[in-house]
Amino acid sequence: MQNLTDKELIEIINTDKYDEELFNKADAIRRERYGTDVYIRGLIEFTNYCKNNCYYCGIRAGNKNAIRYRLTKEEILSCSAEGYALGFRTFVLQGGEDPYFTDDKICDIVSSIREKYPDCAITLSIGEKSRDSYKAYFDAGANRYLLRHETATCEHYNMLHPSSMSLDVRKRCLYDLREIGYQVGSGFMVGSPYQTTENLVSDLRFLQDLSPDMIGIGPYITHKETPFADKPSGTLELTLRMIALLRIMFPYALLPATTALGSIHPEGREKGLKAGANVVMPNLSPVRVRKLYDLYENKICTGDEAAECRVCLEKRVQNAGYKIVTHRGDVLR
Ligand code: 5AD
Ligand code: FES
């Protein structure tokens, strides 16, 4: 099953049924490698300022109605402390591409967390940077980096992004990160505007070449304050099929059941786990900023304290038939 042809992939992607058989196959593969373990990552959304203008995203620079915020270093450290106490051993610092956070500031934050929590993984998700910047963060103590490629087809990439951005630069960043020694996460949105089945096949082929440790996918979800306000959201079913395909093609991979998946269906994340996902990434950001990290509409967990999410997730993961583990959760290649 690992060597599916394009034709076979297209057939699976285009099926219109709720593909229980495919999900079970993926689940069997995940259990072989990871048992029932679900890894958790504490997400700290530390700035929603962004200089980019991606057409799909609610915190794009062009959204003048977005209320912007930045967390201070102290706030980030206190989120980490709270997370550590709740059992998190991976912190994901995610933000828009915010020029306020210079390399020196990022390195300072990373090295402070590194010093306090030598047993934890530090993941950055702060967009496209120079190779030197990536190297500096790595030397300061960051181990992992998440940067979705969004779509591996040039023409499609250009329909989702303004001309100031390019797929070539995005790919260059991902290969730089890998060469520097990061554990790399990439991924794409499912059902993004203008996406074709062939685009999805190209995404899978690109990922085979990159061979990332983590692959994050979630449905595209409409946001009113973007140029794509009238474009429909991606579906639960197609997202689940793509998760299952990823598990089958990348048995080793860390596959999150994403917040976006939980946002289009009340049991989206549970269904994602049952279709092959093995990671969840609850939010550790202070509740006062939760609603403001507004990438898409109807985002879940925006009113819940970190501790509440932790308890809620424990139950959800258990109900789905799996178990949260609290170690770092490195990839099992
Ligand atoms: N719907 C779903 N996902 C989105 N992202 C950005 N905007 C949206 C949206 N409207 C995703 C992108 C990005 C990640 C941080 O969030 O894939 O890489
Ligand atoms: Fe956040 Fe359920 S996981 S409230």
Side-chain angles (χ1 to χ4, degrees), residues 221-232:
I221 302 176
T222 315
H223 190 294
K224 280 194 207 66
E225 305 273 351
T226 68
F228 288 163
D230 61 342
K231 302 279 185 270

Side-chain angles (χ1 to χ4, degrees), residues 38 43 49 52 70 78 82 86 96 104 118 148 169 190 199 221 225 240 248-249 254 272 280 293 296 308 331:
V38 171
L43 186 62
Y49 282 84
N52 286 340
R70 291 182 181 108
S78 99
E82 192 181 356
L86 291 169
D104 283 348
R148 290 185 177 179
V169 171
V190 177
N199 294 155
I221 302 176
E225 305 273 351
L240 294 175
I248 290 164
M249 295 174 70
L254 300 164
V280 284
Y293 202 79
Y296 47 79
E308 294 173 309
V331 73

